[in-house]
């Protein structure tokens, strides 16, 4: 990142890190590892919400003058023999309340949620399948994706079952990787002559569904009006939307809660080729999402953000879109017991150079 | 037919080990189970209902275990056995588990059915569910039994219908995947 931006290491005076597998090290361990002195540091451990929440914090720090250039990085790696142990001991509620039922990891809670969504809204497996097929098409030009071969509905439906109704292609593939962005004042980016985007608005909400036995909303609808007002944009004006897709049901729920359509209706606007709410194409998970690229732990919470930044600076690693001016990115994270607790979203726009 | 080796058991014990509060819940369940089954040395025991915490100040009941009351934040908590029922919120049939015991028994014998239950007194629980119950909204009866590590898990069956037979068969599979 520093090389692309033409910055020397000492010019980066802020660091925001998200990583599950960094332990026992912490963000400040990395300051010593990288041999840098910092004016500002933050470690955001919010799973799939980490990227947006971290950039939101970094933007406020830069605006307040606490730091000039903040590197925001999410990265993880997992040893296969440690994976079960790490996921099964994610929280004390997990240890006592869910792991004993054979469900270390997120597939069981999301299988239960998927079935509840199907019952509530009369959805079918095909509704989720269309999303997976659409995203896989987007991944074909994205060299970094682990799964790039085209997916058919028959292959989706007949894939090995993991936790019903979830099959193999409903579950992200764990992998190693990292994503990151630099956050700085606009004038600094202009002086450096590097392509950049503007952060127009962002929001976060945690434990929004407390008190609900089987929630089908997780917090985005609580802040969406404020988010769109701050950005001076409406959902029907968004060119790109990158939703957090650890499981297909979450992608649909985010599109609904963020106001692209009514609750339970997202799949009606979704074909194997496009997402078209409001009679207009919105480019969805343009690099294929985690369902195609794999989930590199907390870096998965940065993927929608970095892909949107690349698209809006004409630096996409594949599948570059034209005529796109803005993007909405959303994140979701932390199954502490039976539901994800952290919902977040941001709106960014292209800077006209 | 799967063989449960000592190394399976020790890996399962590592992966499924409970917090100190979870271990306390198991001890209390075992004590309640004694008069029902008459055996405390055996790895097999069965208790009707669930064990969870109740606030000594505001009487709120909650689960999973925690160090303070989620309603009034009091630390004056007591353990309590609750024999009430609940309502089925959702189910899944688990074919693949990261836990070797559950993975092998699902693959070689039959997939585990996991449910999520809203208890009439509030808490939401993961349960091992009798496979004959599938309709969301079904009335559910709850029992507690040990898993392969000796720690307690919750077993749920449809209310009223041959409860003990269904519960015993799930409880047997939990300590020995072959159910015998």
């Amino acid at each position: 990142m520093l090389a692309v931006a033409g910055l020397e290491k000492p010019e980066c005076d802020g660091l925001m890190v998200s990583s599950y597998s960094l332990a026992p090290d912490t963000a400040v361990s990395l300051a010593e590892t990288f041999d840098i002195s910092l004016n500002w540091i933050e470690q955001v451990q919010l799973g799939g919400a980490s990227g947006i929440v971290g950039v939101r914090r970094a933007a406020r720090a830069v605006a307040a003058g606490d730091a000039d250039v903040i590197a925001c990085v999410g990265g993880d790696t997992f040893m296969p023999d440690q994976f079960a142990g790490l996921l099964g001991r994610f929280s004390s509620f997990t240890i006592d309340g869910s792991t004993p039922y054979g469900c270390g990891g997120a597939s069981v809670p999301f299988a239960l949620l998927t079935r509840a969504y199907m019952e509530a809204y009369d959805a079918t497996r095909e509704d989720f399948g269309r999303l997976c097929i659409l995203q896989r098409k987007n991944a074909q030009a994205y060299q970094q994706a682990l799964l790039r071969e085209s997916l058919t509905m028959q292959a989706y439906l007949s894939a090995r079952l993991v936790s019903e109704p979830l099959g193999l292609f409903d579950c992200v593939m764990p992998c190693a990787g990292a994503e990151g962005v630099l956050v700085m004042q606009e004038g600094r980016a202009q002086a450096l002559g590097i392509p950049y985007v503007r952060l127009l608005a962002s929001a976060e909400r945690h434990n929004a569904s407390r008190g609900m036995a089987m929630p089908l909303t997780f917090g985005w609808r609580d802040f969406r009006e404020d988010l769109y007002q701050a950005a001076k944009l409406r959902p029907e004006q968004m060119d790109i939307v990158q939703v957090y897709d650890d499981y297909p049901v979450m992608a649909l729920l985010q599109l609904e809660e963020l106001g692209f359509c009514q609750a339970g209706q997202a799949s009606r606007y979704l074909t194997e080729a496009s997402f078209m709410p409001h009679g207009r194409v919105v480019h969805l998970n343009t690099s294929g999402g985690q369902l195609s690229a794999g989930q590199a732990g907390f870096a998965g919470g940065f993927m929608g953000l970095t892909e949107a930044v690349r698209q809006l600076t004409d630096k996409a690693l594949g599948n570059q879109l034209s005529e796109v001016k803005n993007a909405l990115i959303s994140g979701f994270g932390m199954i502490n017991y039976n539901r994800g607790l952290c919902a977040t979203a941001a709106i960014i726009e292209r800077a006209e150079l | 037919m799967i063989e449960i080796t000592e190394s399976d058991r020790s890996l399962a014990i590592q992966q499924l080990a409970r917090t100190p509060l979870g271990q306390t819940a198991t001890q209390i369940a075992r004590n309640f189970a004694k008069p029902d089954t008459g055996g405390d040395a055996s790895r097999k025991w069965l208790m009707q209902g669930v064990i969870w915490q109740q606030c000594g100040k505001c009487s709120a009941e909650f689960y999973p275990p925690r160090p303070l009351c989620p309603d009034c934040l009091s630390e004056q908590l007591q353990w309590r056995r609750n024999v009430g029922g609940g309502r089925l919120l959702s189910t899944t049939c688990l074919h693949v588990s990261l836990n070797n015991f559950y993975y092998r028994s699902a693959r070689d014998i039959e997939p585990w059915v996991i449910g999520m239950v809203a208890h009439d007194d509030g808490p939401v629980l993961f349960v091992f569910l009798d496979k004959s119950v599938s309709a969301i909204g079904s009335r559910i009866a709850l029992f507690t039994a040990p898993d392969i590590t000796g720690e307690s898990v919750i077993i749920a069956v449809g209310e009223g219908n041959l409860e003990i037979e269904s519960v015993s068969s799930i409880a047997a599979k939990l300590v020995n995947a072959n159910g015998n």
Side-chain angles (χ1 to χ4, degrees):
Chain A
M1 292 196 297
L2 294 176
V4 168
L7 286 164
E8 297 296 324
K9 202 170 61 170
E11 293 177 277
C12 173
D13 63 346
L15 177 65
M16 174 264 155
V17 171
S18 302
S19 175
Y20 193 51
S21 54
L22 182 60
D25 287 352
T26 64
V28 79
S29 315
L30 292 178
E32 194 166 34
T33 304
F34 299 155
D35 195 23
I36 44 175
S37 300
L38 299 167
N39 297 322
W40 184 92
I41 196 162
E42 180 73 275
Q43 184 161 1
V44 177
Q45 299 292 83
L46 299 177
S50 301
I52 297 166
V53 169
V55 164
R56 175 176 151 79
R57 304 243 194 289
R60 285 174 193 271
V62 164
D66 292 344
D68 290 329
V69 175
I70 299 178
C72 299
V73 185
D76 262 310
T77 185
F78 296 106
M79 298 297 129
D81 57 335
Q82 294 166 5
F83 192 64
L86 283 173
L87 265 61
R89 310 198 74 71
F90 196 72
S91 69
S92 55
F93 285 9
T94 307
I95 289 170
D96 289 328
S98 72
T99 299
Y101 301 84
C103 43
S107 289
V108 166
F110 281 107
L112 295 165
L113 173 64
T114 301
R115 174 153 188 225
Y117 179 97
M118 291 167 79
E119 289 262 334
Y121 301 126
D122 250 343
T124 63
R125 286 202 71 210
E126 283 83 350
D127 292 331
F128 303 112
R130 290 201 301 284
L131 176 85
C132 297
I133 292 165
L134 163 72
Q135 291 196 189
R136 189 65 72 77
K137 266 192 190 123
N138 290 341
Q140 280 172 13
Y142 185 66
Q143 302 284 331
Q144 285 75 7
L146 292 176
L147 301 172
R148 292 172 56 214
E149 62 280 14
S150 72
L151 180 64
T152 64
M153 185 61 82
Q154 195 201 349
Y156 170 81
L157 293 172
S158 61
R160 176 182 179 198
L161 288 167
V162 174
S163 185
E164 292 179 45
L166 303 179
L168 187 62
F169 297 118
D170 293 302
C171 303
V172 287
M173 188 188 294
C175 65
E179 297 274 3
V181 293
L182 296 175
V183 176
M184 63 189 79
Q185 297 269 17
E186 188 164 11
R188 184 70 180 267
Q190 287 168 344
L192 286 164
I194 52 175
Y196 66 94
V197 300
R198 288 195 195 92
L199 176 63
L200 298 181
S202 65
E204 61 189 285
R205 183 128 171 100
H206 307 285
N207 199 20
S209 62
R210 72 189 177 82
M212 301 180 208
M214 190 77 225
L216 293 171
T217 60
F218 297 93
W220 295 280
R221 68 173 185 183
D222 298 350
F223 63 61
R224 77 174 178 217
E225 280 312 312
D226 290 343
L227 181 78
Y228 289 124
Q229 268 185 25
K232 299 191 176 63
L233 287 167
R234 301 296 311 162
E236 49 273 23
Q237 294 173 290
M238 302 310 308
D239 296 323
I240 296 174
V241 56
Q242 312 281 4
V243 291
Y244 191 77
D245 63 329
D246 50 354
Y247 295 84
V249 69
M250 283 318 303
L252 301 189
L253 284 167
Q254 282 159 83
L255 294 171
E256 293 161 9
E257 270 201 68
L258 285 162
F260 288 90
C261 52
Q262 297 292 308
Q265 305 287 302
S267 69
R268 293 199 185 181
Y269 303 97
L270 201 61
T271 68
E272 293 181 8
S274 72
F275 175 55
M276 213 165 97
H278 316 116
R280 171 176 169 271
V281 170
V282 177
H283 301 287
L284 175 63
N285 290 2
T286 50
S287 63
Q290 300 179 80
L291 287 167
S292 307
Q295 179 177 60
F298 288 4
F302 285 67
M303 206 183 130
L305 184 71
T306 51
E307 169 63 11
V309 170
R310 288 181 189 121
Q311 287 288 350
L312 295 179
T313 53
D314 297 323
K315 300 282 182 194
L317 300 174
N319 197 26
Q320 175 68 54
L321 302 162
S322 55
E323 317 257 323
V324 284
K325 294 188 299 294
N326 57 48
L328 170 67
I329 312 114
S330 57
F332 184 57
M334 305 305 277
I335 313 290
N336 189 60
Y337 175 48
N338 64 346
R339 66 194 64 181
L341 297 185
C342 308
T344 185
I347 296 175
I348 60 175
E349 74 171 359
R350 173 190 292 268
E352 298 303 341
L353 296 175
Chain B
M1 174 86 175
I2 66 170
E3 291 280 317
I4 306 297
T5 65
E6 276 317 301
S7 88
D8 286 339
R9 202 176 291 281
S10 74
L11 183 63
I13 286 169
Q14 271 176 42
Q15 289 184 348
L16 302 174
R18 307 301 202 268
T19 70
L21 286 172
Q23 292 169 22
T24 302
T26 294
Q27 284 162 16
I28 292 168
R30 281 182 74 118
N31 288 339
F32 272 110
K34 271 183 201 168
D36 294 343
T37 59
D40 62 346
S42 158
R43 284 215 316 275
K44 292 186 186 180
W45 49 266
L46 185 63
M47 186 204 84
Q48 191 191 349
V50 293
I51 298 293
W52 62 38
Q53 292 160 294
Q54 182 170 34
C55 178
K57 260 193 160 163
C58 76
S59 302
E61 294 179 49
F62 43 91
Y63 174 92
R66 65 201 76 186
L68 48 75
C69 170
D71 279 8
C72 73
L73 308 183
S74 166
E75 294 173 35
Q76 293 172 35
L77 309 182
Q78 58 217 24
W79 291 94
R80 126 157 239 243
R81 175 193 192 190
N82 183 311
V83 294
R87 176 173 58 87
L88 187 62
L89 293 170
S90 190
T91 66
T92 182
C93 197
L94 182 66
H95 296 260
V96 178
S97 171
L98 289 172
N99 182 277
N100 198 39
F101 172 76
Y102 290 112
Y103 177 58
R104 281 174 53 203
S105 48
R107 184 191 62 191
D108 296 345
I109 300 168
E110 64 176 342
W112 295 87
V113 182
I114 314 294
M116 194 171 288
V117 171
H119 195 281
D120 294 340
D121 291 321
V124 173
L125 319 158
F126 284 87
V127 299
F128 286 107
L129 183 67
D130 177 22
K131 65 187 171 200
S132 68
V133 186
S134 64
I136 289 182
S138 298
R139 290 294 310 166
I140 292 295
L142 298 162
F143 296 82
T144 299
D147 68 6
I148 186 177
T149 75
E151 295 290 345
S152 60
V153 286
I154 303 166
I155 296 173
V157 296
E159 222 169 51
N161 202 4
L162 293 175
E163 283 172 4
I164 286 300
E165 286 80 352
S166 312
V167 175
S168 303
S169 118
I170 298 171
K173 266 190 281 188
L174 284 166
V175 289
N176 171 353
N178 302 309
N180 48 39

